[in-house]
Amino acid sequence: MAFPSDLEIARGAALKPIEDIASEMGLPNHLLEPYGRDVMKVNLDAIEELAEAPKAKYVVVSAITPTPLGEGKTTTTVGLGQGFKHIGKRATVAIRQPSMGPTFGIKGGAAGGGYSQVVPMELLNLHLTGDMHAVTAAHNLLAAIIDNHLFQGNERGLDPHNITWRRVLDVNDRALRNIVVGLGGRGDGVPRQTGFDITAASEVMAALALTTSLEDLRARLGRIVVGYGKDGSPVTASELNAAGSMAVLLREAIKPNLLQTLENTPVLVHAGPFGNIATGNSSVVADRIGVHAGDFLITEAGFGADMGAERFFNIKCRNSALSPDAAVVVATVRALKAHSGKYRIVAGKPLPPELLQENPDDVAAGAANLRKQVENIRLHGVSPVVAVNAFPDDFASEHDAIRQIAAELGARVAVCTNFAEGGRGAAELAEAVAEAVEEPTNFRFLYPDEASLREKIETVATKVYGAGNVQYSPQAAQQLDTYERAGFGRLPVCIAKTHLSISSDPKLKGAPTGWTLPVREVRASVGAGFVYPICGDMRTMPGLGTSPAAFRIDLDEHGEVVGLS
Amino acid sequence: MAFPSDLEIARGAALKPIEDIASEMGLPNHLLEPYGRDVMKVNLDAIEELAEAPKAKYVVVSAITPTPLGEGKTTTTVGLGQGFKHIGKRATVAIRQPSMGPTFGIKGGAAGGGYSQVVPMELLNLHLTGDMHAVTAAHNLLAAIIDNHLFQGNERGLDPHNITWRRVLDVNDRALRNIVVGLGGRGDGVPRQTGFDITAASEVMAALALTTSLEDLRARLGRIVVGYGKDGSPVTASELNAAGSMAVLLREAIKPNLLQTLENTPVLVHAGPFGNIATGNSSVVADRIGVHAGDFLITEAGFGADMGAERFFNIKCRNSALSPDAAVVVATVRALKAHSGKYRIVAGKPLPPELLQENPDDVAAGAANLRKQVENIRLHGVSPVVAVNAFPDDFASEHDAIRQIAAELGARVAVCTNFAEGGRGAAELAEAVAEAVEEPTNFRFLYPDEASLREKIETVATKVYGAGNVQYSPQAAQQLDTYERAGFGRLPVCIAKTHLSISSDPKLKGAPTGWTLPVREVRASVGAGFVYPICGDMRTMPGLGTSPAAFRIDLDEHGEVVGLS
């Protein structure tokens, strides 16, 4: 019998009433707002009201540098959350809201997989409670106000050629990447070139993920820099009178969403900032609630430990004032084999057949990446745990090879079969994590606020990525000087680079050293609260393929969704 | 003491638990889905499950031709719903969802007014349960699939210069009216000119308002014509494999939203199609539920009786198979004075002071418009009731003048003070409506399905608008021929013209006759199910003014919304 599809498994789930899930977290009824039958929003008053509850152990789930297929980090995160029940502990899971555009593109859904999923997966993948749409609306209202300002006489003296605020939509639509607006007649606005990004790339989304309260969000929105005046001075959303309305549009979106796993583990789903030009982490407010709602809070950070985890430590924790107790590094046999440099994995294509043959030596040959990512966790004073996300085609000898690498690193390790078996298959990992959090931690940021932007970039590049040095384009150098002068120098940095290599070159596997990080351009998300140097081509609006998931997603004769993976 | 603002009144409302409101309508719990604490979605199974309940009297609220300020039709609709309780009857109100773009533009909110409001008004005006956003998402997914089709080789042979499907956003953004997409490099799509409309103008919205079930909606979406092939043949959403995903995106949006008035009258809020290029009526499914949920269902139709009510009768009722029992025609002293032709009222400017002086003769001089709109109701075999929406500045002699006109027409009439007094102030109107529905009705469409598109246009133009004849541009004539050949000739017509005159010239007041209706162009909303001739400039994407409501809307120190009217 074939293994059932994610959707088949999800449809067979025995959901608990979501109010019971909330109650087990210690969330009283007055803090909850139902959205449909299986989802609730949690009022931010929960942060204060739960503050006296015991603090959970706070665990971030990261990974080695993934292949283009992804290494099942969400599946492991969800499975680990489920696994704690099997060792008698209460855990909460925190993840990002999936972006809807890619759901209709290549992916067809992102809610974990197999017997480790967040449910109802149709809701998670489609609209949920509308937070993404609220971000879109707030972002585009600001854009409309900017173009209206130009049209109404441009009193502030905005330089039309230096407006950095674009528009956003949660759809994969390459035709919107570069557009000219304001065409038509005299009454139809001022013509200029601009474009759309996907909503996950919105600075509003990044601000939502990092904010600590509605008041703080209002202030962050006001600090958003939308462009520059003809005199070179930064122009903010606040100067254009847009921040109040934007905050009003986000009044519900700031509340985290409560769902559950297939095994009724509570899951807080909130915010979905991009993992390259933004933090790739779920929200601070969800974690601040979840960290007082059980024995463990398991939160996921996007891409490899050099990306999501580094930002988790240095940006998200700086905003949340929370200290992690352990970090999981997810590894797979196929990704380690790929880091040997012998295989080429392409998204949407079958795996090379050689890669599926038993070959523990190739696993060992790819160990450098795992070693470096474990080191990246330790750089921040946190205990690493290696999680092997087991695939049906893996061989025991290959898992042993990973155990061997972990042993050499002195790191705990567990093989996880939770995709096929649910939480039971992650009980070993839960045990390992429960041990790791008991070790003394010494969590630290990699750099102080006071360091210059260049120092911050160079610290991350050399210590985390293994770069030999950093090279700035003349434009980037000038931008860094401008930002330092404008007072943005105290912000942390979020280095936008490929997630497919620990370096800035997606072709380099393993853990290369001595290379040069090229900073082409530097942008500032002043409202969200970070500066992001751009190293490579960052695509912020995906396109659809020749046969997108949208062609298969449909309703069946009962009105149920089909085709979502 | 000044009369309190709408927001102040709304904040002081004593809301009943929304489940109690539903229960009074006879809606059992399993048909309800909570969205937050004060709103519920109603499952469409309610149509079948309530079918055995007694049928309510079905009353449409329309108006004389309004001034640019609007004549308080929603306020009267809400007040009438409230008024029935004061005469011992149970009523349900059905209205459109307000478009969010204008909320941040000139309007600042649209939920009725004074003591006749739908609450919570912040939810009604902002996002509600996300239906508008779902329409936006479905519409723009189709747009992305079209441009992707061009990019991937254009197998169907779409003519890039004859793609009629644009994009939509629920924001007032004039810069998006005319844009060029697909700029950038070879990988960024195929350059072409297009634009954005506001979401209320989306054909998906019109289809949502006219559909009868999820299955029917899936079929309507498939029939949407997105453009024409190089061979001139219409290209549908179905041919591009988009309809299934679009329907999936609308799976929740198809369920009507239940709110309440300040006096706890149930209100079904659902769909918000534009009143010029679309029907301007709330959804068929909401009415099919509400029509078995009490003694009266009060449903609102946009603009004057020549616009919203004509479409209600000939398009909405054709889709719903429901027969109205009476029609209210809302009139105001100021609008009747304006129809005398002596005053000029401009949106956003104070009223001319002369218009505020006691002058029953000018009211009588504007009577032609009221007479014609009452006749337009009777043309469809329905009993009219004139409702005078009283303003504080009105004089009794002016109200008497309107009573006199109604008496001459043999129509029931009532003066409504529900803005200031709530339902009590509409009890007289409720009594008049309760009498009118007991008269024998003989509801009829103005034209049969089999009439040609030209016959349909000419019937509405001459009988309803009072035109002498219709003139087609060569383009319009050709389009009509094309549509007849393509089999769209059986669809009803939705004539897009100004709402500020019963004619197609906004400057003509009263009830002009003998004029010529110029049809410039004809478009087909084949998916929604109507053909719309365009007579005049129809703006489908508003802009922001010099001082939009967005500048004033904000959060107060308690996180509550301020500035929404």
Side-chain angles (χ1 to χ4, degrees):
Chain A
M1 205 187 84
F3 196 79
S5 76
D6 286 357
L7 188 58
E8 283 165 347
I9 294 171
R11 285 224 195 131
L15 271 69
K16 255 197 198 177
I18 192 72
E19 47 271 42
D20 294 356
I21 303 278
S23 163
E24 289 165 17
M25 295 169 75
L27 287 169
N29 207 41
H30 72 272
L31 295 175
L32 304 171
E33 295 170 12
Y35 271 71
R37 298 201 163 266
D38 300 314
V39 179
M40 281 187 158
K41 274 197 172 286
V42 183
N43 194 294
L44 290 200
D45 291 343
I47 296 173
E48 207 160 301
E49 294 197 26
L50 294 189
E52 299 301 307
K55 188 176 165 294
K57 295 296 181 178
Y58 188 35
V59 180
V60 61
V61 178
S62 183
I64 63 170
T65 301
T67 71
L69 307 178
E71 302 318 309
K73 188 148 43 66
T74 306
T75 302
T76 306
T77 304
V78 172
L80 174 58
Q82 295 180 152
F84 277 104
K85 197 186 276 181
H86 295 263
I87 65 164
K89 302 283 183 186
R90 291 184 311 131
T92 305
V93 170
I95 60 168
R96 283 178 288 172
Q97 182 181 350
S99 177
M100 210 166 65
T103 299
F104 292 94
I106 205 165
K107 280 169 61 180
Y115 288 93
S116 299
Q117 290 187 64
V118 181
V119 284
M121 69 104 94
E122 302 95 316
L123 299 184
L124 181 72
N125 285 303
L126 303 168
H127 307 306
L128 195 55
T129 59
D131 299 347
M132 287 268 180
H133 296 315
V135 167
T136 302
H139 186 116
N140 292 334
L141 178 60
L142 178 53
I145 287 173
I146 293 166
D147 274 298
N148 189 52
H149 191 85
L150 295 182
F151 176 77
Q152 303 288 358
N154 195 9
E155 198 181 336
R156 172 61 179 80
L158 256 170
D159 178 356
H161 297 288
N162 203 357
I163 294 173
T164 48
W165 196 253
R166 293 159 49 95
R167 288 173 176 82
V168 298
L169 269 181
D170 193 9
V171 61
N172 285 16
D173 192 346
R174 70 170 67 72
L176 291 177
R177 284 176 193 153
N178 301 287
I179 69 173
V180 172
V181 298
L183 301 173
R186 197 177 294 265
D188 298 321
V190 179
R192 66 183 186 88
Q193 185 158 356
T194 178
F196 278 78
D197 299 318
I198 195 162
T199 300
S202 165
E203 183 176 345
V204 176
M205 180 64 88
L208 183 71
L210 290 172
T211 193
T212 52
S213 70
L214 190 54
E215 198 184 348
D216 172 74
L217 181 61
R218 168 76 175 74
R220 285 178 196 253
L221 295 170
R223 289 196 294 269
I224 286 174
V225 173
V226 303
Y228 296 83
K230 288 167 186 163
D231 60 359
S233 62
V235 178
T236 63
S238 185
E239 285 180 79
L240 298 178
N241 283 313
S245 283
M246 293 172 75
V248 163
L249 282 167
L250 295 166
R251 207 168 62 115
E252 301 302 318
I254 199 175
K255 302 171 186 168
N257 307 288
L258 179 62
L259 287 82
Q260 60 187 291
T261 72
L262 290 171
E263 299 182 10
N264 315 122
T265 311
V267 183
L268 292 167
V269 179
H270 199 218
F274 245 34
N276 49 22
I277 63 156
T279 52
N281 276 262
S282 65
S283 82
V284 163
V285 289
D287 282 8
R288 288 184 70 164
I289 293 169
V291 84
H292 288 284
D295 302 319
F296 288 84
L297 174 63
I298 314 300
T299 196
E300 186 190 358
F303 298 146
D306 55 317
M307 304 283 291
E310 186 274 312
R311 287 141 192 213
F312 170 81
F313 295 132
N314 294 302
I315 306 179
K316 186 175 176 184
C317 289
R318 216 180 273 262
N319 280 271
S320 70
L322 294 173
S323 290
D325 298 291
V328 172
V329 179
V330 176
T332 60
V333 166
R334 72 179 183 198
L336 282 170
K337 284 181 176 172
H339 280 297
S340 73
K342 295 188 191 164
Y343 306 95
R344 189 151 167 273
I345 297 178
V346 180
K349 299 244 167 104
L351 288 173
E354 323 78 85
L355 186 137
L356 296 174
Q357 283 161 17
E358 181 168 7
N359 196 335
D361 291 348
D362 278 355
V363 173
N369 188 270
L370 174 56
R371 271 192 211 104
K372 179 63 185 136
Q373 299 290 28
V374 164
E375 183 190 314
N376 286 341
I377 302 298
R378 287 185 167 144
L379 276 176
H380 297 87
V382 174
S383 301
V385 178
V386 176
V388 183
N389 180 20
F391 280 61
D393 297 327
D394 293 351
F395 293 89
S397 63
E398 297 171 331
H399 291 164
D400 289 343
I402 305 180
R403 286 187 193 273
Q404 179 62 33
I405 302 162
E408 285 163 17
L409 291 167
R412 289 181 175 78
V413 60
V415 175
C416 303
T417 54
N418 54 281
F419 181 93
E421 299 184 283
R424 192 159 52 88
E428 185 194 345
L429 177 61
E431 289 284 10
V433 170
E435 287 169 26
V437 296
E438 295 305 327
E439 286 187 6
T441 56
N442 175 26
F443 173 60
R444 56 187 173 264
F445 301 132
L446 212 56
Y447 49 78
D449 291 353
E450 303 75 44
S452 71
L453 292 171
R454 282 179 176 78
E455 284 166 343
K456 289 168 182 168
I457 295 167
E458 287 151 25
T459 300
V460 175
T462 56
K463 292 203 182 161
V464 177
Y465 303 163
N469 63 320
V470 178
Q471 199 168 57
Y472 302 95
S473 74
Q475 184 193 10
Q478 195 185 5
Q479 286 162 327
L480 285 167
D481 294 343
T482 304
Y483 297 155
E484 293 281 4
R485 274 198 308 273
F488 310 154
R490 285 182 64 90
L491 297 174
V493 295
C494 179
I495 300 177
K497 69 164 189 72
T498 180
H499 64 283
L500 297 173
S501 169
I502 207 165
S503 77
S504 59
D505 178 352
K507 291 191 294 296
L508 296 182
K509 299 302 164 194
T513 54
W515 49 277
T516 297
L517 180 77
V519 178
R520 196 188 70 207
E521 185 188 342
V522 186
R523 297 188 198 157
S525 282
V526 183
F530 54 80
V531 168
Y532 62 105
I534 297 180
C535 311
D537 283 328
M538 290 302 116
R539 178 150 287 175
T540 50
M541 174 53 96
L544 294 171
T546 48
S547 178
F551 290 179
R552 299 182 295 278
I553 295 172
D554 207 335
L555 296 167
D556 68 12
E557 63 277 23
H558 309 293
E560 297 295 327
V561 180
V562 293
L564 272 179
S565 81
Chain B
M1 201 186 86
F3 195 81
S5 75
D6 286 357
L7 189 59
E8 284 164 348
I9 294 172
R11 283 222 196 135
L15 271 70
K16 254 196 196 177
I18 192 71
E19 47 271 40
D20 294 356
I21 303 277
S23 163
E24 289 165 18
M25 296 169 74
L27 288 168
N29 206 41
H30 71 273
L31 295 175
L32 305 170
E33 294 170 14
Y35 271 71
R37 298 200 162 266
D38 301 315
V39 180
M40 282 187 157
K41 273 195 173 286
V42 183
N43 193 295
L44 290 200
D45 291 344
I47 296 174
E48 207 161 301
E49 294 197 23
L50 294 190
E52 299 301 308
K55 188 178 164 292
K57 295 295 181 180
Y58 188 35
V59 179
V60 62
V61 179
S62 184
I64 64 169
T65 300
T67 70
L69 307 177
E71 303 318 309
K73 189 149 40 66
T74 306
T75 303
T76 306
T77 304
V78 171
L80 175 57
Q82 295 180 153
F84 278 105
K85 197 187 275 182
H86 296 263
I87 64 164
K89 302 283 184 187
R90 292 185 308 133
T92 304
V93 171
I95 60 167
R96 284 179 287 172
Q97 181 181 351
S99 178
M100 210 165 66
T103 299
F104 292 95
I106 205 166
K107 281 168 61 178
Y115 287 95
S116 299
Q117 290 187 62
V118 181
V119 282
M121 70 104 94
E122 302 94 315
L123 298 184
L124 183 71
N125 284 303
L126 303 167
H127 307 307
L128 195 55
T129 58
D131 299 348
M132 287 269 181
H133 296 315
V135 168
T136 303
H139 187 116
N140 292 335
L141 177 60
L142 177 53
I145 287 173
I146 294 166
D147 273 299
N148 189 53
H149 191 84
L150 295 182
F151 176 77
Q152 302 287 357
N154 194 10
E155 201 181 336
R156 172 61 178 79
L158 256 170
D159 177 358
H161 297 288
N162 204 357
I163 293 172
T164 49
W165 197 252
R166 292 157 51 93
R167 287 172 177 82
V168 297
L169 268 180
D170 192 8
V171 61
N172 284 16
D173 192 346
R174 70 171 65 73
L176 291 177
R177 285 176 192 153
N178 302 287
I179 67 173
V180 172
V181 299
L183 300 173
R186 197 179 293 265
D188 298 321
V190 179
R192 66 184 186 90
Q193 185 159 356
T194 179
F196 278 78
D197 299 318
I198 195 162
T199 300
S202 165
E203 183 177 344
V204 175
M205 181 64 89
L208 184 71
L210 290 172
T211 193
T212 51
S213 70
L214 189 54
E215 197 183 350
D216 172 73
L217 181 60
R218 168 76 174 73
R220 285 179 197 253
L221 296 170
R223 289 196 293 268
I224 286 173
V225 173
V226 302
Y228 295 84
K230 289 168 185 162
D231 59 0
S233 62
V235 178
T236 64
S238 184
E239 286 179 78
L240 298 178
N241 283 314
S245 284
M246 293 172 76
V248 163
L249 283 166
L250 295 166
R251 208 168 61 115
E252 301 302 319
I254 199 174
K255 303 171 187 169
N257 307 288
L258 180 63
L259 286 82
Q260 60 187 292
T261 71
L262 290 171
E263 299 182 11
N264 314 124
T265 310
V267 183
L268 291 168
V269 180
H270 199 218
F274 245 33
N276 50 22
I277 63 156
T279 53
N281 275 263
S282 65
S283 82
V284 163
V285 290
D287 282 9
R288 288 184 69 164
I289 293 168
V291 85
H292 288 284
D295 302 319
F296 287 84
L297 174 63
I298 314 301
T299 196
E300 186 191 0
F303 300 144
D306 55 317
M307 304 284 290
E310 185 275 311
R311 287 142 192 213
F312 171 80
F313 295 132
N314 294 302
I315 306 179
K316 187 175 176 185
C317 289
R318 217 178 273 263
N319 280 271
S320 71
L322 294 173
S323 290
D325 297 292
V328 172
V329 179
V330 176
T332 60
V333 167
R334 72 179 182 198
L336 282 170
K337 285 181 175 172
H339 280 297
S340 73
K342 296 190 190 163
Y343 306 96
R344 188 150 168 275
I345 297 178
V346 180
K349 300 243 167 101
L351 288 174
E354 323 79 87
L355 185 135
L356 296 174
Q357 284 161 16
E358 181 168 8
N359 198 333
D361 292 346
D362 278 356
V363 173
N369 187 270
L370 175 56
R371 274 192 211 103
K372 180 62 186 137
Q373 299 290 27
V374 164
E375 182 190 315
N376 286 340
I377 302 298
R378 287 184 166 144
L379 276 176
H380 298 87
V382 175
S383 301
V385 178
V386 176
V388 182
N389 180 21
F391 280 60
D393 298 328
D394 293 352
F395 294 88
S397 63
E398 297 171 331
H399 291 164
D400 289 343
I402 305 179
R403 286 188 194 271
Q404 179 63 31
I405 303 162
E408 286 161 17
L409 292 167
R412 290 181 174 78
V413 61
V415 174
C416 303
T417 54
N418 53 280
F419 182 93
E421 299 184 283
R424 192 160 51 88
E428 184 195 346
L429 177 61
E431 290 283 9
V433 169
E435 287 168 27
V437 298
E438 295 305 328
E439 286 186 6
T441 56
N442 176 27
F443 173 60
R444 55 186 173 265
F445 301 132
L446 212 54
Y447 49 78
D449 291 352
E450 303 75 44
S452 72
L453 292 170
R454 281 179 176 79
E455 284 167 344
K456 290 168 182 168
I457 295 167
E458 286 152 24
T459 300
V460 175
T462 57
K463 293 203 181 161
V464 177
Y465 303 163
N469 64 320
V470 178
Q471 199 169 58
Y472 303 95
S473 74
Q475 184 193 10
Q478 194 185 9
Q479 286 162 327
L480 285 168
D481 295 341
T482 305
Y483 298 155
E484 294 281 4
R485 273 198 309 272
F488 310 154
R490 285 183 64 90
L491 296 174
V493 296
C494 179
I495 301 178
K497 70 163 188 72
T498 178
H499 64 284
L500 296 173
S501 170
I502 206 164
S503 76
S504 59
D505 178 354
K507 291 191 293 297
L508 297 182
K509 299 300 164 196
T513 54
W515 49 276
T516 297
L517 181 77
V519 179
R520 197 187 70 207
E521 185 189 342
V522 186
R523 297 188 199 158
S525 282
V526 184
F530 54 80
V531 167
Y532 62 105
I534 297 180
C535 311
D537 283 328
M538 291 302 117
R539 179 150 287 175
T540 49
M541 172 54 96
L544 294 171
T546 49
S547 177
F551 290 180
R552 301 182 294 279
I553 294 172
D554 207 335
L555 296 167
D556 69 12
E557 64 276 23
H558 309 295
E560 297 296 326
V561 179
V562 295
L564 271 179
S565 84

